[in-house]
Amino acid sequence: MSSPWEAAADLVVVGTGVAGLTAALEASRRGLRVLVVTKAGARDGNTRWAQGGVAVVLPGEHDDGDSVRRHIDDTLVAGAGLCEADAVATVLADGPGAVTALRRVGARFDTLADGLLARTREGGHSAFRVVHAGGDATGAEVERTLLASARNRELTVLERQAAVRILRTPEGAAAGLVVLDDDGTFGILRAPAVLLATGGLGHLYQSTTNPDVATGDGIALALRAGATVADLEFVQFHPTVLYTGHDATGRRPLVTEAVRGEGAVLVDGAGAPVMAGVHPLGDLAPRDVVSAAIIRRLADAPGGVDDHVFLDATHLGGQMFQARFPTVYAACAAAGIDPATQPIPVAPAAHFGCGGVVTTVDGRTRVPGLYAAGEVARTGLHGANRLASNSLLEGLVVGARAARAALADHAAGVLADPRRAEVEDADASSSLSVAVAERPTLQRMMSRYAAIGRDADGLGVLADTLAEASTVRPVRTREDVENAALDLTARALVTAAQERLESRGCHVRHDYPVPDDLQWRRSLVVELDESGQVAPARVLALGGVA
Ligand code: SIN
């Protein structure tokens, strides 16, 4: 094994999605030396796959009566009592500025004949306020814009470098990052500030809308560095993911909620509407409500079709569908489905981790020098169920804020000297021995016992299986890094899910079917104990990062 190479920066950003690139660009513009690392290629993150859009209320471009205040209210309702109201207010208030800034550097959103932005509606929104690009390719346009800016600024992006662990000083402050490339060579990146923007955790499950990179890496890195995570039990399942057979696994094509925004209706195998009488917003109810209604309908099916329902968008006609939803149309065509004449078979699949590394709304964690932004972070914006299209917005807003927080912390002299990072010897970076579960077993058990519909028995079986299925061994490859991250993230999630004895938002328990505001209208924090094991969950102090 070759000895590790070394590099230094003021800020290391892990991830090339919307939050990571926004942070890196902001920090670079403000004079910090920035290194961006990603375990895959720069374009391989989750951002590219975002379809629906960015939820934002822009001055002069909104429905009558719509306002940032109403956007805040919709977010709080969707979050099922667990959002932090101050976090919601401050992040959404910065949304219009963030979108305007992105357009200024070249993002092209869809417009109407009068030149104003086209707006659609998604689940949980009381107004048409979701702006989009390329019809249903909003994430791709956001990513294109940010990567072009990164090229213009000559940002250094180190590709195919998996983040193994965060370097720390003897006092516990972040001081850099150990990375591992595809050839098994380790690198040491010394920096007083490290920003995690690693995205989500969809590959905890057999079927997900997330790309291969979404393996919970940032959650595991943060936990091992001494940070806390919260709200991890709230995994959002997107209701309409293209169904191509019960054995289809891995990343599955999304059928954006905006299709329902344009009038499509969910029906069961017998053609009966799924959402009739379930919620006042019908097919555009918040996502947790729609996914749970589908699962209930499937469970009640008298024989016949019992693992998918249908999204009927035939009213749109072929030309309109193809023009407005080119990505979905292509996925349907590849599966032999014509949305103009056939209802689209769909089923829920893992989509978004509403919880994550506990941060302030500026991306600070409780570990000095460690920041997080985007899906990996838990700012308090999403609560128990994220409002549709709030995530690109959060990535833009909190990504930029986290960069400014790192800059302010540099200026205030509160960050560590990265020369004091604990790197015991040349090969120390490879000596990280952690529990690594077999991925297929983990995904199968998580899908069975920790998806929509959980109970104490199933979660107990899952916890035992995770303990049995994992072995402690050194991390030598990217796959090891990912499997170890999945293992730790699953344990943390199951710990919180076992503890939360109620149903709320995306956490649906058969044995505790109703919300219990008195006991449980609070976030649960998970951290590691001194021996590196997941400690029992505890309640998060409001507004805190500890
Ligand atoms: C969608 O387009 O339905 C997904 C958008 C989101 O997850 O916010």
Side-chain angles (χ1 to χ4, degrees):
M1 175 172 308
S2 45
S3 43
W5 52 274
E6 286 219 18
D10 297 323
L11 172 67
V12 169
V13 174
V14 190
T16 54
V18 56
L21 289 175
T22 302
L25 285 163
E26 180 76 8
S28 164
R29 281 187 202 112
R30 288 171 181 263
L32 292 186
R33 288 175 308 145
V34 181
L35 273 180
V36 182
V37 299
T38 172
K39 66 182 177 183
R43 293 187 65 244
D44 293 335
N46 209 2
T47 294
R48 165 154 78 103
W49 301 99
Q51 294 187 355
V54 184
V56 66
V57 182
L58 291 164
E61 299 199 52
H62 53 76
D63 287 5
D64 282 349
D66 197 15
S67 61
V68 174
R69 181 66 249 173
R70 265 182 66 181
H71 186 183
I72 292 169
D73 290 342
D74 290 347
T75 300
L76 294 172
V77 170
L82 229 61
C83 299
E84 289 193 20
D86 290 349
V88 175
T90 170
V91 173
L92 297 189
D94 276 7
V99 170
T100 303
L102 191 69
R103 295 181 75 194
R104 217 177 280 132
V105 294
R108 294 186 294 262
F109 286 90
D110 297 334
T111 51
L112 302 170
D114 58 9
L116 293 179
L117 290 178
R119 288 176 276 115
T120 191
R121 247 182 93 193
E122 290 187 52
H125 288 278
S126 61
F128 285 75
R129 63 166 80 98
V130 176
V131 299
H132 45 85
D136 59 4
T138 313
E141 176 60 10
V142 170
E143 183 193 79
R144 184 199 65 75
T145 307
L146 293 172
L147 283 174
S149 298
R151 271 193 303 278
N152 291 342
R153 282 209 70 80
E154 299 183 350
L155 266 189
T156 305
V157 180
L158 303 176
E159 297 181 308
R160 314 215 174 276
Q161 299 288 343
V164 178
R165 75 180 161 97
I166 290 161
L167 288 170
R168 291 192 296 159
T169 63
E171 295 76 32
L177 187 72
V178 177
V179 292
L180 171 64
D181 72 13
D182 286 353
D183 297 327
T185 304
F186 286 90
I188 309 270
L189 307 179
R190 292 184 191 269
V194 177
L195 171 73
L196 298 172
T198 50
L201 43 68
H203 284 268
L204 284 174
Y205 296 89
Q206 286 174 304
S207 171
T208 173
T209 60
N210 296 180
D212 292 352
V213 292
T215 49
D217 302 2
I219 303 279
L221 287 164
L223 278 171
R224 290 198 198 101
T228 52
V229 298
D231 295 340
L232 222 54
E233 63 273 37
F234 302 107
V235 179
Q236 185 175 75
F237 279 66
H238 197 290
T240 55
V241 177
L242 187 64
Y243 174 87
T244 55
H246 69 274
D247 49 0
T249 55
R251 190 189 75 77
R252 312 301 314 143
L254 180 65
V255 179
T256 173
E257 212 158 69
V259 179
R260 275 174 283 141
E262 307 293 346
V265 175
L266 281 162
V267 294
D268 65 15
V274 173
M275 293 306 295
V278 174
H279 189 279
L281 289 173
D283 284 89
L284 286 176
R287 214 168 263 173
D288 56 336
V289 175
V290 180
S291 285
I294 292 173
I295 296 296
R296 276 198 307 276
R297 181 62 62 96
L298 295 175
D300 292 348
V305 177
D306 63 358
D307 58 0
H308 63 284
V309 293
F310 297 90
L311 184 64
D312 189 345
T314 50
H315 72 288
L316 286 174
Q319 270 186 352
M320 163 67 181
F321 195 102
Q322 191 171 0
R324 176 67 181 83
F325 302 112
T327 313
V328 178
Y329 187 86
C332 288
I337 297 152
D338 177 5
T341 56
Q342 293 168 271
I344 306 166
V346 291
H351 183 58
F352 190 89
C354 299
V357 182
V358 181
T359 68
T360 64
V361 288
D362 301 311
R364 288 187 178 94
T365 71
R366 77 170 178 182
V367 176
L370 182 63
Y371 309 81
E375 185 174 349
V376 69
R378 182 267 182 209
T379 58
L381 173 64
H382 306 310
N385 171 60
R386 176 180 60 97
L387 182 68
S389 286
N390 266 356
S391 46
L392 288 177
L393 190 77
E394 185 187 37
L396 291 168
V397 170
V398 182
R401 285 178 173 202
R404 294 195 289 270
L407 187 76
D409 293 348
H410 266 281
V414 296
L415 299 182
D417 179 347
R419 286 171 302 189
R420 299 187 61 244
E422 291 188 308
V423 186
E424 300 93 27
D425 56 53
D427 199 29
S429 50
S430 63
S431 66
L432 178 75
S433 282
V434 290
V436 182
E438 294 310 320
R439 196 184 296 204
T441 307
L442 177 142
Q443 289 175 330
R444 188 166 34 80
M445 298 299 280
M446 286 292 292
S447 302
R448 179 155 177 200
Y449 294 118
I452 304 173
R454 306 164 171 177
D455 61 31
D457 289 347
L459 290 167
V461 171
L462 176 53
D464 292 346
T465 310
L466 285 174
E468 282 160 22
S470 58
T471 50
V472 174
R473 53 183 150 102
V475 166
R476 301 276 188 211
T477 64
R478 168 177 156 182
E479 199 185 349
D480 288 344
V481 172
E482 291 182 336
N483 288 347
L486 286 168
D487 184 313
L488 182 53
T489 305
R491 288 169 195 252
L493 188 157
V494 171
T495 299
Q498 283 180 305
E499 199 106 346
R500 183 173 288 283
L501 305 181
E502 63 158 358
S503 290
R504 179 185 298 276
C506 303
H507 175 69
V508 179
R509 285 197 57 153
H510 296 312
D511 47 355
Y512 295 93
V514 289
D516 177 353
D517 277 352
L518 210 60
Q519 273 271 10
W520 289 112
R521 195 167 169 182
R522 55 195 76 191
S523 287
L524 287 174
V525 173
V526 175
E527 61 201 320
L528 300 190
D529 63 20
E530 281 176 2
S531 64
Q533 300 303 310
V534 174
R538 61 180 170 80
V539 169
L540 176 70
L542 254 193
V545 288

